Amino acid sequence: MLNKEKVKLGIAPIAWTNDDMPDLGKENTFEQCVSEMALAGFTGSEVGNKYPKDVEVLKKALNLRGIEICNAWFSTFLISKPYEETEVEFEKHVAFLAAMGAKVVGVSEQSYSVQGQMETPVFGHKYVMNDEEWKLLCEGLNKLGKLSLEKYNVALTFHHHMGTVVQSAAEVERMMANTDPKYVSLLFDSGHFAYCDEDPVEMVKTYVNRIKHVHLKDIRPEVVKQVKEENKSFLQGVRMGAFTIPGDGCVDFDSIFKVLEENDYSGYMVVEAEQDPAKANPLEYALRARKFIAEKTGL
């Protein structure tokens, strides 16, 4: 069983309202989203576009429901824009997270990413970095991580992601090997590893001591197969139902939880399962996810 004193459970608002495809869940308000998160038994949330930007307004709404902010996505452009441009926006983002009490920031390198391109197939079209770009990425991440930790006490966790320059096990390995463990940790996402045919269990075993944030995401393998065979984009795959809550797909969460438990994982585990809320009722799926996690981990 995982340690209740060290592991907290959160859920991402993307199940209610999708920031990349605003028509998905456009009818769902911020208030409904966070109320249903609390109703389903979660105490943490990541940040969605409908969330108030004012710290005091957001804190009041969340405090009423016993929810706290645990992380928020940040897009870096370290290999395609001057470092300073990314740093300015990054510092504003981290200052907001620190004011909200969050301890980690989730960073994804979005230069040349195809994840947000509706018509570009997610398989076979990702950008591959050259040695100079790898150097820019890793040095940039070290600098951002140092700033974030030393000035705001917020740890940088890197989010490997389908359609981006760091997607595969080999790419994650190179990124981890060339960044400072003091300043750069891994945001482990079970679904994104499974989606690109990497073994999430092997990945959690390999990096468990550098994982500071966990996304619990499952995949429906038959849908991912269809995405691949029909040359669908990442976003089209989301609409088709490629992702789902833990326990509803093929990912071996028993083994993942065991590795985290045996290595005394401390931090958030966040259910992140972007689906069409018209097809997958967010509250229903949140309740199912919470029940599954309770049964498997004792949390």
Side-chain angles (χ1 to χ4, degrees):
M1 297 288 110
L2 285 158
N3 188 336
K4 286 183 180 180
E5 301 300 311
K6 293 186 174 180
V7 183
K8 294 181 175 181
L9 293 180
I11 190 163
I14 200 163
W16 283 264
T17 58
N18 193 302
D19 292 346
D20 298 317
M21 296 177 284
D23 64 299
L24 292 186
K26 64 181 182 298
E27 70 283 0
N28 295 327
T29 64
F30 158 71
E31 289 81 6
Q32 178 188 341
C33 173
V34 290
S35 295
E36 291 186 355
M37 287 176 173
L39 193 58
F42 292 93
T43 57
S45 171
E46 297 195 349
V47 178
N49 276 348
K50 289 188 179 179
Y51 282 40
K53 306 291 189 284
D54 182 285
V55 169
E56 294 312 313
V57 173
L58 181 54
K59 270 189 178 172
K60 183 178 180 184
L62 296 179
N63 287 344
L64 284 170
R65 296 161 173 87
I67 302 263
E68 66 178 4
I69 294 299
C70 60
N71 173 36
W73 169 286
F74 183 80
S75 298
T76 56
F77 295 89
L78 294 167
I79 69 171
S80 60
K81 293 181 181 179
Y83 168 79
E84 292 70 25
E85 282 186 34
T86 291
E87 186 184 82
V88 168
E89 294 308 312
F90 177 75
E91 183 161 6
K92 289 181 202 166
H93 187 78
V94 173
F96 171 77
L97 280 175
M100 290 304 303
K103 297 300 178 195
V104 303
V105 55
V107 163
S108 177
E109 177 62 24
Q110 287 295 297
S111 297
Y112 317 121
S113 169
V114 301
Q115 77 176 67
Q117 297 174 9
M118 186 58 80
E119 302 305 324
T120 305
V122 68
F123 287 103
H125 288 73
K126 70 178 290 304
Y127 186 83
V128 177
M129 288 187 284
N130 60 36
D131 289 345
E132 181 56 34
E133 288 166 330
W134 269 108
K135 190 165 179 284
L136 281 171
L137 175 66
C138 294
E139 287 180 353
L141 289 173
N142 281 337
K143 285 194 273 190
L144 293 176
K146 187 173 193 289
L147 165 72
S148 182
L149 188 67
E150 294 184 351
K151 192 167 178 181
Y152 297 97
N153 197 30
V154 172
L156 186 154
T157 64
F158 189 89
H159 191 348
H160 58 99
H161 199 287
M162 288 299 298
T164 72
V165 291
V166 182
Q167 170 183 295
S168 68
E171 288 162 341
V172 171
E173 182 180 4
R174 184 166 178 177
M175 186 274 298
M176 297 295 274
N178 289 282
T179 50
D180 188 337
K182 187 176 175 186
Y183 299 124
V184 180
S185 302
L186 186 67
L187 189 164
F188 169 81
D189 190 305
S190 52
H192 281 281
F193 276 131
Y195 202 119
C196 65
D197 214 22
E198 305 287 8
D199 183 349
V201 178
E202 287 308 308
M203 294 296 97
V204 77
K205 284 178 182 171
T206 301
Y207 299 113
V208 66
N209 294 317
R210 276 183 78 181
I211 293 171
K212 284 216 166 118
H213 200 66
V214 172
H215 277 175
L216 301 176
K217 192 199 298 266
D218 216 333
I219 64 163
R220 296 184 175 99
E222 69 282 3
V223 180
V224 172
K225 184 169 179 279
Q226 190 183 347
V227 169
K228 196 170 196 173
E229 288 173 353
E230 296 179 9
N231 289 316
K232 299 292 187 183
S233 68
F234 177 77
L235 297 179
Q236 287 168 336
V238 170
R239 286 184 182 275
M240 291 160 63
F243 293 120
T244 186
I245 53 167
D248 191 40
C250 66
V251 172
D252 178 4
F253 283 99
D254 285 336
S255 297
I256 290 170
F257 290 142
K258 188 165 184 281
V259 173
L260 293 171
E261 179 193 338
E262 288 173 350
N263 290 274
D264 206 24
Y265 173 73
S266 178
Y268 260 96
M269 297 197 306
V270 177
V271 173
E272 192 204 33
E274 56 265 49
Q275 302 184 72
D276 181 347
K279 297 176 185 172
N281 180 276
L283 177 58
E284 179 192 338
Y285 273 75
L287 286 162
R288 282 173 55 188
R290 186 66 187 86
K291 184 170 182 280
F292 175 82
I293 295 165
E295 288 170 354
K296 296 294 183 181
T297 68
L299 293 172

